[in-house]
Amino acid sequence: MERTSDVEQRQISNEARLIRGVFRAAGLAAGSAVRGGQWAMGTTYEVTRQITQAALDGESSTEIAERAGQALQSVARSVLGVTEGSVREIVSYVPTANGHTPQAITTGGYVRSTTMDDLRRRGDALLARSADVYFTEEVHPAYDRILDQLAPDEARILRFMAQNGPQPSVDVRTNRPLGIGSELVSGDLTSVPEQAGVRYPDRSRHYLINLNRLGLLMNSDDPVLLSRYMVLEVQPIVETALKAAGRVPKIVRKSLRLTEFGEDFCRICFTLPGEAAPTQRTDG
């Protein structure tokens, strides 16, 4: 299948080049079950069956390539052992049913759709994979991208939370009769980043905001054991807020917790004490 000169000049990984060559061969196999079967050698049995059947049914080369594209991610990960980054690179080159490459750009390693049609096409592809009983996905696909958006200090915070469970946090408010007119002076104060040993304590607030944005941490109204607040409430960050709150400030005791999503992320992405490291994939 012809490619434009600007696409030819793009620098992609050796893994991506290898598999793109395989999918180009699939496109040339239109109308020939034998050649379709030859292309499928080295992939899974299911992909072999799909490509061969497509060729027997007289589907066009672009339709065959599109079938190949839907199976691309599972084949690349489970059979060829390529990286997630290479999978994303390849996806942007898989032709659609109308013979054109989707109008998507790669920014920071991510595929970005540029039109509503492209978004709809990607959404429909997800639905197609959800109906494919042969498609397997070991972990949530967001985990790979989340790792790209974490600072090393944020990984330390997550590991600390995974090992130690919910931690105390407090809001400091002004104290008013019956709580009417009480104002928040400083909220969600915690010493978790310092306890985790972050290298840049001045960024602690931003770290927690980002982890909350990613859906890994949450602030809960449920308190932890009362005695655990004694150490937190004498920390400089809390004492400063108490002074700013005026006479008889009010402390609201809360907690910082991993979300259910965050617990699974830590379990999958970090080797925690007492756990074995994941087995390295080897070729051959």
Side-chain angles (χ1 to χ4, degrees):
M1 182 177 296
E2 295 283 339
R3 295 194 304 261
T4 57
S5 59
D6 58 326
V7 174
E8 282 285 343
Q9 294 171 359
R10 289 186 56 178
Q11 299 297 313
I12 63 174
S13 67
N14 290 333
E15 290 176 345
R17 290 181 183 278
L18 171 63
I19 303 176
R20 281 176 59 198
V22 173
F23 280 93
R24 186 186 304 112
L28 295 176
S32 171
V34 174
R35 293 174 64 187
Q38 289 175 341
W39 167 81
M41 292 174 61
T43 66
T44 64
Y45 166 79
E46 173 58 20
V47 177
T48 303
R49 185 187 65 78
Q50 290 184 15
I51 299 304
T52 302
Q53 186 61 48
L56 288 171
D57 291 344
E59 294 188 14
S60 67
S61 60
T62 56
E63 289 172 328
I64 293 177
E66 187 171 19
R67 281 176 178 259
Q70 293 175 356
L72 171 61
Q73 294 192 23
S74 58
V75 172
R77 291 194 193 98
S78 62
V79 179
L80 301 176
V82 302
T83 62
E84 180 71 19
S86 293
V87 171
R88 287 196 295 265
E89 288 177 303
I90 302 162
V91 167
S92 63
Y93 291 94
V94 176
T96 62
N98 60 13
H100 298 294
T101 300
Q103 297 300 308
I105 58 177
T106 302
T107 304
Y110 304 149
V111 175
R112 303 293 189 198
S113 298
T114 58
T115 68
M116 288 188 293
D117 286 342
D118 295 329
L119 289 171
R120 178 67 60 83
R121 189 176 298 113
R122 291 175 62 191
D124 288 343
L126 283 175
L127 292 173
R129 289 201 296 273
S130 74
D132 185 355
V133 297
Y134 295 96
F135 177 77
T136 58
E137 200 162 47
E138 293 184 1
V139 298
H140 197 289
Y143 289 176
D144 181 67
R145 296 188 177 188
I146 287 175
L147 285 172
D148 290 336
Q149 299 179 59
L150 290 180
D153 275 348
E154 291 167 352
R156 294 182 70 92
I157 292 172
L158 290 173
R159 182 181 63 180
F160 175 84
M161 294 294 296
Q163 292 178 244
N164 297 281
Q167 298 297 308
S169 69
V170 298
D171 290 349
V172 175
R173 306 184 66 92
T174 59
N175 201 350
R176 296 291 185 270
L178 303 178
I180 299 174
S182 176
E183 297 179 354
L184 179 67
V185 175
S186 191
D188 302 327
L189 301 177
T190 181
S191 60
V192 164
E194 290 75 13
Q195 289 178 274
V198 298
R199 293 185 59 191
Y200 304 101
D202 57 313
R203 303 177 187 172
S204 294
R205 191 75 171 176
H206 295 155
Y207 291 155
L208 296 176
I209 290 172
N210 188 44
L211 293 173
N212 183 274
R213 176 187 70 87
L214 293 170
L216 303 174
L217 282 185
M218 62 176 287
N219 292 286
S220 171
D221 292 333
D222 295 329
V224 295
L225 191 65
L226 185 60
S227 60
R228 299 184 63 189
Y229 292 92
M230 295 177 62
V231 175
L232 173 60
E233 291 171 12
V234 297
Q235 298 301 311
I237 188 174
V238 178
E239 289 188 331
T240 300
L242 290 172
K243 291 178 181 178
R247 296 182 58 186
V248 196
K250 181 179 180 180
I251 296 179
V252 180
R253 296 181 175 94
K254 304 162 47 176
S255 63
L256 182 67
R257 302 167 182 265
L258 285 173
T259 63
E260 185 175 350
F261 184 71
E263 290 176 353
D264 188 64
F265 175 84
C266 292
R267 181 181 62 84
I268 295 296
C269 298
F270 301 133
T271 301
L272 302 174
E275 295 182 355
T279 304
Q280 295 276 341
R281 180 187 292 272
T282 57
D283 295 333

